[in-house]
Amino acid sequence: MITEILSPNIEITWLPWAVAYFFFIGISFAAVTLTLPAILFGHKQSLGVARVAMLVMLICAIVGPVALLADIHQPARFWHFYACITPWSWMSIGAIFLPIYVVATFIYSWLFLRPALLESKAKAGIVGIMARILGVGSWQGQHLLKLMAMMTLILGMIIALYTGAEVAIVATRELWSSYLIPVFFFTTALLAASSLSLLLAYLMHEDNVTLTSLSRYSRWSALLSLAVLAYWFVLAIFTNGAEARSLVLLQHSTQWQLNLGLLVLLFAVTAFFASGSSKLILLAALGGLVVSWFSRWLIFIDGQTIPKYGAGFYTYELPWGTEGLSGILGIFGLWLFLAIVLYQILPWKNRTESRVEVQS
Amino acid sequence: MDISKRQFLSKVATLSVGAVLVPLSSTSQAGINDQPPRRNGETGKRWAMVVDLRKCIGCQSCTVACTIENQSPIGQFRTHVDQYEIQDREHPENITSLMLPRLCNHCDLPPCVPVCPVQATYQQKDGIVVVDSDRCVGCGYCVQACPYDARFINKETNSVDKCTFCTHRLEAGLLPACVESCIGGARVIGDLNQADSQISQLINEHKKDIKVLKPQAGTKPHVFYIGLNKAFENRINGQSAVWQPK
């Protein structure tokens, strides 16, 4: 029997900011897909979903990169990413596409809001001012909107691919080194995006059709995430790949058993509540957000406490400062702030669907 | 909108989508996650280290000397000596201990290098893996990719830090601080390309007993151990008693 008497405790390197980045950018690119039935395929009843998802996509496309900047320990050197482009590094590829994606979300939501902006030009107050600034010209731009929907979708999928791949190629972390990671990130991102859209739709007094559609997205993405998790266990038990090596490492840890059990339970409860009454679907929305955050927390934060060579686990305690709790609160505060500001200064409240050209 | 405008916009769209995809296709040809060419350092040399565990007494002189030489912050180490207690299952009264010096393995296929998004971490022509701390953005991707937990974000510089085999000392004709300070002479550094170097001779002499950490990782480590039990080649299957700085 071997006992490790002396070995330093290695601190985690990707901080809760990384969890926040993967959480918010995931929500953003998944929200793009929620806008498509209305914008790209002209499904009139999905316009409420598209409107809320558009707002979610936009806010998270700003909050995500802020969290990413905070996670790199030299944020002022971010320009090095562009001065030293490294095509063989997934992170560098991501750094190229991330700002393009963010700009695409700006243009996409701007085009979506154009009819309402043109309509609001004469209004008094901040909405009118913003409409006069952003509503330049008199063109509607609905064909451009479809084009931009496709562009944003492609860019969003590139972000989904790179965020998944940059984690999955880390061969030395068995928990990360799985082709299921990008898939799991996507299904849980879809869950968080539909859950967050559902909460906003409720607050924005969207109709029942919208709430029901979003809760259906939540239910299916929760079930899909559960299926991916189940498949991970199948691979872990019946193959001898990285998933199996992970299970060997984690199976004797009570903490990990509890965490994985809780994860399964949260997905199941979310899926169950998402098919319930109007009050229950709000609980499902909260559950969807919590489980999406929690799954990323497990992968990144707890995943980094697994030593690559030594015995046992490294210890991690959430610090109170910006590297920990106040950072998490801060980034959610930024999200809330942007949500309030963007909701107040842009004409989301106008029934833009009556002005958006849709094929019935 | 007239037809010419529409055609123009559709061409712009095609070009834009194409432009988005071009970088991906070119990178896949370049091989994502492939080792980039080595740069700087001495051509023709291959620095490596042999650690003779039979001679290590776990005094941590190397840890202290490295910390003083390289000024790593308190609680963060470029090298350290892990200590293990091994108890015979059948004869519990038989207890022995192992001192295991750990450092960057300066692998031939270092997984930390291709992941760096700004090429701040690279392998020199002489095999030493270094970090340009002025270029490093502190993203920590290399820390994740290293199979040996040999890298860390320096709390004072906010850049990645790691063992460099004291390349600044080697260039000045000096031994690395850990080698210089080792009481038992357990650490030997040298050029593998030189057949008559002490390290080449040691490796030849102990050919059958030379081991590296995590050989299955496929990284071709260049820190070689003499006297390493097979149970310590890969991740330790045992209990931990983690020491943590207050």
Side-chain angles (χ1 to χ4, degrees), chain A residues 126-254:
Chain A
I126 186 73
V127 175
I129 295 170
M130 290 305 292
R132 286 190 287 281
I133 295 170
L134 295 173
V136 281
S138 57
W139 48 277
Q140 295 275 323
Q142 293 313 300
H143 288 94
L144 274 180
L145 177 65
K146 284 189 180 179
L147 173 69
M148 210 54 223
M150 274 164 52
M151 292 284 289
T152 316
L153 175 69
I154 292 168
L155 286 163
M157 290 308 103
I158 291 172
I159 300 296
L161 174 70
Y162 113 80
T163 46
E166 82 172 346
V167 176
I169 58 123
V170 180
T172 190
R173 290 207 184 279
E174 286 85 354
L175 191 65
W176 297 6
S177 176
S178 168
Y179 288 112
L180 289 181
I181 283 284
V183 183
F184 188 66
F185 278 175
F186 188 81
T187 58
T188 50
L190 198 57
L191 173 60
S194 46
S195 299
L196 195 52
S197 301
L198 184 53
L199 281 180
L200 275 195
Y202 180 78
L203 294 172
M204 286 163 72
H205 305 294
E206 291 290 344
D207 54 22
N208 273 335
V209 178
T210 302
L211 295 180
T212 312
S213 296
L214 285 168
S215 66
R216 204 179 301 131
Y217 285 124
S218 285
R219 182 169 76 240
W220 282 107
S221 48
L223 288 174
L224 267 176
S225 305
L226 204 52
V228 177
L229 196 57
Y231 188 54
W232 185 89
F233 275 105
V234 169
L235 291 179
I237 293 164
F238 296 107
T239 67
N240 49 13
E243 295 86 1
R245 293 197 298 278
S246 276
L247 199 62
V248 169
L249 285 175
L250 308 179
Q251 63 187 348
H252 299 301
S253 160
T254 316

Side-chain angles (χ1 to χ4, degrees), chain A residues 110 117 120-121 123 125-136 341-342 344-347:
Chain A
W110 173 62
L117 286 167
S120 308
K121 274 185 178 178
K123 279 188 178 173
I126 186 73
V127 175
I129 295 170
M130 290 305 292
R132 286 190 287 281
I133 295 170
L134 295 173
V136 281
V341 169
L342 289 173
Q344 291 298 331
I345 67 169
L346 296 173

